[in-house]
């Protein structure tokens, strides 16, 4: 989220003078009763001193249960491109002839779309049997039977009503800052940017549509979302990472068969698993490019450390990355899911730190020497492990709580930790979010990055194994540094801004602006490129920061000129998580 410098301070000052609440748009949320949607409702009832008001949104079920239920939900769902003006009642009445409807919502992305969940999977077959392939005089359609439909009206003038669609994008910068001007807690940022129930459903549906295509080659495959889409730390507009899981195909005949006979499939063999991955993704890339409805801009990036197919799913508006054999990435998503569910303050603090980092160009969507969102998330988790008493347990302590069912070894890496949230003891720490944000800046503003590394597995500082400016140990592939890309200048910029932000928040503790004041306060004051209440020494650094940002941007563009829109070969699998 970039913060515009021109006119920003003026807007904030005007906002601070008003300090009146802005009405939020009403977004209709239609969710299936008895599903994970009940855990994800956006209620805003106030809670206790250490609670964020999101306890009901924090999922309490196992990650695998949530994934399986979402996938089953998506398999009963269709995506329909609708006319701009349509009667919602007539639309639902028409679809109901194919089977009872459990859930639906509308959204806009290159037109109006409807996501419709039937009660039974068989209803989709009935709808497909009543659908025909379009034909035009100038072009020839490639016949493909999918769950992505196009609805046309026989009489265009008969429908005049317009349905209300849900928003799939975050607020604009101007709207966000107006909200933050009067925000009473850090929860405002989380409420505005977290994935909505509809957006989550749309992500699982997109994966399910891709799975339908992959199943033509691998009938028992599963396309699973991972990273920001499922770990509860994703924000509206984030990319959709998915991987093709072929384990079910490989394990079909794993059960023992009595007798003297053993039947095997006839297959083709290749020299290595990497070559097999490249061949599989190459074929799927061609399939998506030639036959995938709504799949555009397909790129096969097969020589990266983690080969992938990148494409845009135009109907959903998602930028998608498809990989295979990426189980460590899914396990990392599950670990973050658990950490986000253990304490209601975790996600709010992560969202706040990320927003702050983005505002000061500490993070970027362009590959380069910047700190990544995943590294920031690991830093927040590590910081919360270091509190007294700890707010989050270490990964090693989660491992000690694991039972035989939780045992997991992937490619020789021990990925074992407890999956049952009810077996993890809640924290006794009662610190507020605002205090934790200030303490986060103070902690890392004085952290000995030149000597120590960050390790969430043990939850303590350790000597750095190499000379990287910032060393954050990969939780599962422990020999890897997930922040190896970060330069010394970018790390120093982070440290300087952390110290500055800690000082600003400290001043607000003793001199909080009144309602009639025109001075920005709270998180807003930390997002300003040059706030009026900063010390003189920080103003002298602003030009230095600007020069460093431009310099690093030019270096990044120069170094990635030939690799534009690709994932760098040195990028670690786990770094794609957020």
């Amino acid at each position: 989220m970039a913060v515009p410098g021109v006119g920003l301070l003026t807007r904030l000052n005007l906002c601070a003078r008003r300090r009146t609440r802005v009405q939020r748009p009403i977004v209709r949320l239609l969710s299936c009763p008895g599903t994970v949607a009940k855990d994800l409702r956006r209620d805003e009832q106030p809670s206790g001193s250490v609670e964020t008001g999101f306890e009901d949104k924090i999922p309490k079920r196992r990650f695998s249960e949530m994934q399986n239920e979402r996938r089953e939900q998506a398999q009963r769902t269709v995506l329909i491109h609708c006319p701009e003006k349509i009667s919602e009642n007539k639309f639902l009445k028409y679809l109901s002839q194919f089977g009872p409807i459990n859930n639906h919502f509308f959204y806009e992305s290159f037109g109006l779309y409807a996501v419709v969940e039937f009660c039974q999977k068989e209803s989709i077959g009935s709808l497909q049997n009543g659908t025909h392939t379009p034909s035009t005089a100038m072009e020839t359609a490639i016949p493909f039977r999918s769950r992505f439909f196009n609805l046309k009206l026989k009489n265009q003038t008969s429908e005049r009503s317009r349905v209300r669609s849900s928003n799939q994008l975050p607020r604009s910068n101007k709207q966000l800052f107006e909200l933050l001007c009067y925000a009473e807690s850090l929860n405002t940022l989380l409420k505005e940017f977290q994935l909505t129930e509809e957006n989550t459903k749309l992500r699982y549906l997109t994966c399910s549509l891709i799975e339908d295509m992959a199943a033509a080659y691998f009938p028992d495959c599963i396309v699973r979302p991972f990273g920001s889409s499922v770990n509860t730390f994703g924000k509206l507009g984030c990319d959709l990472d998915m991987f093709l899981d072929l384990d079910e195909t490989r394990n079909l005949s794993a059960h023992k068969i009595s007798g003297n006979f053993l039947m095997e499939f006839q297959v083709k063999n290749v020299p290595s698993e990497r070559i097999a991955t490249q061949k599989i993704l190459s074929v799927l890339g061609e399939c998506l490019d030639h036959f995938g409805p709504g799949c555009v801009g397909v790129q096969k990036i097969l020589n990266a450390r983690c080969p992938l197919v990148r494409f845009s799913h135009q109907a959903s508006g998602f930028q998608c990355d498809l990989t295979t054999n990426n189980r460590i990435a899914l396990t990392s998503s599950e670990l973050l899911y658990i950490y986000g569910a253990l304490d209601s303050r975790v996600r709010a603090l992560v969202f706040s730190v990320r927003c702050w980092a983005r505002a000061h160009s500490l993070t970027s969507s362009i590959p380069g020497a910047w700190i990544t969102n995943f590294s920031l998330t690991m830093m927040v988790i590590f910081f919360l492990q270091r509190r007294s008493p700890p707010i989050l347990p270490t990964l090693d302590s989660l491992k000690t709580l694991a039972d035989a069912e939780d045992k997991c070894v992937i490619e020789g890496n021990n990925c074992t930790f407890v999956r049952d949230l009810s077996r993890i003891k809640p924290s006794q720490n009662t610190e507020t979010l605002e205090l934790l944000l200030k303490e986060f800046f103070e902690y890392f503003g004085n952290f000995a990055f030149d000597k120590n590394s960050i390790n969430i597995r043990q939850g303590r500082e350790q000597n750095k194994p190499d000379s990287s400016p910032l060393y954050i140990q990969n939780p599962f592939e422990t020999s890897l540094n997930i922040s190896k890309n970060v330069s010394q200048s970018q790390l120093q910029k982070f440290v300087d801004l952390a110290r500055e932000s800690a000082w600003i928040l400290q001043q607000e503790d003793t001199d909080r602006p009144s309602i009639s004041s025109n001075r920005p306060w709270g998180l807003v004051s930390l997002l300003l490129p040059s706030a009026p209440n900063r010390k003189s020494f920080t103003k002298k650094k602003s030009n230095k920061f600007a020069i460093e940002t431009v310099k690093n941007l030019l270096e990044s563009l120069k170094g990635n000129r030939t690799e534009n829109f690709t994932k760098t070969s040195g990028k670690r699998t786990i770094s794609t998580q957020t």
Side-chain angles (χ1 to χ4, degrees):
M1 178 186 57
V3 178
V6 179
L8 175 60
L9 185 56
T10 301
R11 292 200 302 271
L12 290 172
N13 286 337
L14 290 173
C15 190
R17 291 191 190 102
R18 291 197 308 267
R19 204 61 62 84
T20 56
R21 289 193 175 272
V22 179
Q23 292 295 323
R24 294 178 59 196
I26 299 175
V27 177
R28 177 182 50 189
L29 175 60
L30 300 168
S31 57
C32 301
T35 70
V36 75
K38 294 180 66 178
D39 296 325
L40 300 176
R41 284 196 176 277
R42 299 169 62 116
D43 296 337
E44 299 179 18
Q45 300 175 353
S47 300
S49 60
V50 301
E51 298 172 349
T52 68
F54 290 94
E55 282 67 26
D56 56 336
K57 176 157 186 166
I58 299 175
K60 298 300 182 184
R61 63 183 62 198
R62 287 176 181 249
F63 182 77
S64 58
E65 294 173 349
M66 180 273 294
Q67 285 248 307
N68 291 336
E69 182 173 293
R70 289 288 194 185
R71 179 170 178 262
E72 191 274 333
Q73 232 177 33
Q75 289 175 331
R76 292 185 279 108
T77 304
V78 297
L79 180 61
I80 304 174
H81 182 219
C82 302
E84 182 179 352
K85 295 182 179 180
I86 186 173
S87 168
E88 185 172 358
N89 290 334
K90 292 181 180 179
F91 172 75
L92 295 177
K93 183 178 180 180
Y94 166 73
L95 290 178
S96 295
Q97 65 181 311
F98 302 105
I101 296 172
N102 198 30
N103 197 303
H104 80 283
F105 64 88
F106 294 90
Y107 72 94
E108 292 186 5
S109 173
F110 298 99
L112 180 66
Y113 291 85
V115 174
V116 181
E117 177 192 338
F118 288 98
C119 292
Q120 290 92 30
K121 191 175 179 180
E122 292 74 21
S123 300
I124 296 177
S126 300
L127 176 59
Q128 289 175 325
N129 291 335
T131 303
H132 71 278
T133 301
S135 60
T136 62
M138 303 298 295
E139 297 177 319
T140 301
I142 299 177
F144 185 78
R145 187 183 175 98
S146 73
R147 288 182 286 139
F148 182 14
F149 301 92
N150 185 45
L151 179 65
K152 290 186 176 181
L153 297 175
K154 295 179 180 179
N155 185 357
Q156 296 289 340
T157 60
S158 63
E159 304 293 342
R160 298 184 180 275
S161 60
R162 185 186 296 269
V163 298
R164 184 173 55 184
S165 59
S166 65
N167 182 32
Q168 302 299 319
L169 295 175
R171 289 179 180 270
S172 67
N173 285 332
K174 180 179 179 180
Q175 292 173 325
L176 173 64
F177 286 117
E178 288 178 346
L179 286 169
L180 292 180
C181 278
Y182 65 79
E184 298 176 357
S185 76
L186 298 178
N187 296 319
T188 300
L189 199 65
L190 176 60
K191 287 188 291 185
E192 293 303 319
F193 278 90
Q194 64 189 348
L195 298 182
T196 62
E197 168 69 3
E198 293 111 320
N199 195 268
T200 300
K201 285 187 175 183
L202 187 57
R203 289 171 183 272
Y204 276 88
L205 174 58
T206 303
C207 288
S208 187
L209 295 175
I210 302 303
E211 181 181 307
D212 288 349
M213 301 194 67
Y217 299 93
F218 309 101
D220 296 287
C221 71
I222 301 176
V223 174
R224 302 185 187 274
F226 68 93
S228 300
S229 299
V230 298
N231 62 22
T232 72
F233 291 93
K235 68 181 181 68
L236 287 173
C238 67
D239 293 347
L240 173 55
D241 294 315
M242 58 182 81
F243 88 96
L244 179 68
D245 189 352
L246 298 176
D247 277 5
E248 293 298 322
T249 300
R250 294 189 178 101
N251 297 331
L252 279 177
S253 58
H255 59 280
K256 295 182 179 180
I257 302 177
S258 60
N260 195 37
F261 296 97
L262 177 64
M263 191 73 74
E264 293 181 334
F265 288 107
Q266 281 283 352
V267 296
K268 285 194 171 184
N269 297 310
V270 293
S272 67
E273 186 170 350
R274 178 177 175 82
I275 294 177
T277 296
Q278 291 172 327
K279 288 183 175 293
I280 291 171
L281 290 177
S282 178
V283 171
L284 290 181
E286 291 292 322
C287 184
L288 291 172
D289 193 19
H290 295 307
F291 310 125
C295 297
V296 299
V298 178
Q299 303 175 67
K300 296 184 291 183
I301 308 171
L302 305 180
N303 292 323
R305 181 182 182 272
C306 182
L308 61 96
V309 174
R310 176 167 295 168
F311 62 96
S312 295
H313 191 259
Q314 198 169 42
S316 65
F318 297 139
Q319 180 75 17
C320 305
D321 285 350
L322 174 64
T323 61
T324 186
N325 296 329
N326 205 4
R327 300 200 65 83
I328 285 186
L330 185 65
T331 303
S332 301
S333 302
E334 183 172 10
L335 177 63
L336 291 184
Y337 173 91
I338 290 175
Y339 276 133
L342 288 179
D343 193 284
S344 57
R345 293 165 288 182
V346 178
R347 295 171 60 242
L349 187 59
V350 168
F351 272 68
S352 299
V353 171
R354 285 184 181 178
C355 179
W356 167 82
R358 182 65 172 171
H360 294 288
S361 300
L362 289 170
T363 57
S364 174
S365 57
I366 303 174
W370 295 272
I371 298 175
T372 65
N373 278 332
F374 183 63
S375 292
L376 288 173
T377 304
M378 291 292 103
M379 294 173 78
V380 171
I381 291 173
F382 181 76
F383 163 74
L384 296 177
Q385 291 173 339
R386 300 288 295 167
R387 304 307 292 164
S388 181
I391 295 177
L392 291 179
T394 65
L395 181 53
D396 279 348
S397 65
L398 294 180
K399 179 182 175 182
T400 61
L401 295 174
D403 55 22
E405 184 182 357
D406 297 319
K407 185 176 181 181
C408 177
V409 178
I410 302 175
E411 299 173 4
N413 300 294
N414 193 333
C415 302
T416 301
F417 55 88
V418 63
R419 265 71 176 180
D420 188 351
L421 290 166
S422 64
R423 297 173 58 190
I424 306 174
K425 186 178 179 180
S427 171
Q428 300 302 309
N429 185 296
T430 60
E431 293 173 303
T432 64
L433 270 172
E434 288 68 28
L435 175 62
L436 289 173
L437 181 63
K438 180 171 72 73
E439 293 291 326
F440 173 87
F441 291 133
E442 288 188 0
Y443 181 79
F444 283 110
N446 297 281
F447 190 85
F449 289 105
D450 58 330
K451 298 179 181 178
N452 296 327
S453 64
I454 295 171
N455 180 353
I456 71 164
R457 179 169 284 277
Q458 298 182 7
R460 60 184 177 88
E461 302 164 5
Q462 291 183 314
N463 292 332
K464 288 200 300 185
D466 63 35
S467 59
S468 300
L470 176 61
Y471 196 103
I472 303 177
Q473 185 188 65
N474 188 310
F476 298 118
E477 298 176 281
T478 54
S479 63
L480 303 181
N481 174 16
I482 67 171
S483 55
K484 190 175 182 179
N485 63 298
V486 179
S487 66
Q488 182 61 49
S489 62
Q490 284 297 306
L491 177 60
Q492 188 59 49
K493 178 180 177 180
F494 169 84
V495 171
D496 290 340
L497 284 168
R499 291 174 179 174
E500 183 180 336
S501 298
W503 179 84
I504 294 172
L505 293 177
Q506 181 64 41
Q507 295 304 303
E508 289 193 352
D509 286 344
T510 58
D511 183 26
R512 188 178 182 117
S514 63
I515 291 185
S516 60
S517 171
N518 64 355
R519 195 179 88 197
W521 60 281
L523 185 59
V524 168
S525 64
L526 302 183
L527 305 183
L528 291 174
S530 181
N533 57 348
R534 299 186 180 180
K535 285 185 176 180
S536 59
F537 79 92
T538 61
K539 293 182 180 179
K540 295 178 181 179
K541 293 178 181 178
S542 60
N543 290 336
K544 178 182 177 182
F545 289 162
I547 294 172
E548 288 178 352
T549 301
V550 174
K551 180 180 177 181
N552 286 317
L553 176 60
L554 292 175
E555 290 177 352
S556 174
L557 293 174
K558 181 179 178 181
N560 291 278
R561 185 174 299 166
T562 59
E563 298 177 327
N564 198 17
F565 299 106
T566 67
K567 290 194 172 180
T568 58
S569 58
K571 186 174 182 181
R572 302 306 182 185
T573 301
I574 196 170
S575 67
T576 62
Q577 293 310 294
T578 53

